[in-house]
Amino acid sequence: LGQQGITANAKAADYRETEQTAMQTLTVPRGKDFHLVLSDGTEVWVNAESRLHYPSRFTGGERTVRLEGEAYFKEAHDTDHPFIVETEHFRTRVLGTEFNLQSYGNEASHVTLVTGRVAVKADNSPETINLQPGQELTMTPDGESTLQNVDTYARTQWKEGYFYFDRASLEEILHGLGRWYNVDIELDCDPALLDYHLHFVANRHDTLSEALKKLNNLQRVTVVQEGNRIVLK
């Protein structure tokens, strides 16, 4: 990488000095996150169990990357070259902004705008949805979408080293823990439990047992670790 003008270590990589134009793929496993500086100066924090496809250096009229998973983008403003983030189901067009994008497999996708402007277009819809700062667009796998005002703090604290769930479903919280600690989730419980919405905060650098202890201290559910599984009872 150094011979290509790319500065990199175990937690970050910087492409601003490279002259290469080849496509790159960054794969971040469970339990890790990674910080990228793209060739245009755009910063990307990539969360656990995520994959980002991007060119070493942008060429052409658009700056396009493709995301599978979750990332926080701080886009370097360039009016003449719009920044585009593609996922499996939609495209987000960016103009000078910071936003969080989460799109994991068959889970609901979220685009959360912190500052600036973004426009989101689903692959199966002719409509383009424009977001204002403080708004979040949620899209289900079957194509339904909801736009609402949110506390963006909750969506962005993962890049600061914290789990921060505000009025989140228990299922969303458990999948977040499983993704970070690399454990499977077993929901051996009344399905109604999964509709519980909780406020839960924990340090991502603490152990799994410490995180589960905090979750159980809410006295709403019982969650235990059994081998490589988190079991909700």
Side-chain angles (χ1 to χ4, degrees), residues 7 20 55 131 190:
T7 303
Q20 302 291 319
L131 275 68
D190 181 348

Side-chain angles (χ1 to χ4, degrees), residues 60-80:
E62 294 183 343
R63 297 169 291 160
T64 303
V65 301
R66 184 171 180 82
L67 175 68
E68 304 164 35
E70 182 172 19
Y72 183 92
F73 293 85
K74 184 178 181 180
E75 184 249 347
H77 185 56
D78 182 350
T79 304
D80 296 330

Side-chain angles (χ1 to χ4, degrees), residues 25-38:
T25 298
L26 170 68
T27 301
V28 182
R30 286 184 168 193
K32 303 289 184 180
D33 51 33
F34 200 84
H35 179 228
L36 274 177
V37 182
L38 300 177

Side-chain angles (χ1 to χ4, degrees), residues 42 77 200:
T42 293
H77 185 56
F200 175 70

Side-chain angles (χ1 to χ4, degrees), residues 156-227:
T156 59
Q157 280 302 289
W158 65 265
K159 72 183 184 67
E160 307 299 335
Y162 293 93
F163 297 107
Y164 194 105
F165 295 95
D166 187 35
R167 296 187 299 276
S169 70
L170 182 58
E171 185 173 15
E172 182 180 355
I173 294 171
L174 291 178
H175 280 298
L177 293 176
R179 188 173 293 123
W180 183 251
Y181 291 109
N182 193 22
V183 292
D184 297 323
I185 307 300
E186 183 174 309
L187 305 176
D188 183 21
C189 63
D190 181 348
L193 286 176
L194 301 180
D195 288 332
Y196 278 163
H197 282 68
L198 308 173
H199 182 85
F200 175 70
V201 181
N203 192 319
R204 299 215 305 182
H205 301 295
D206 288 343
T207 64
L208 173 58
S209 60
E210 290 173 308
L212 295 183
K213 181 179 179 181
K214 289 183 178 180
L215 188 57
N216 286 325
N217 283 343
L218 297 176
Q219 298 183 342
R220 299 289 297 274
V221 295
T222 300
V223 185
V224 298
Q225 181 180 1
E226 296 181 356

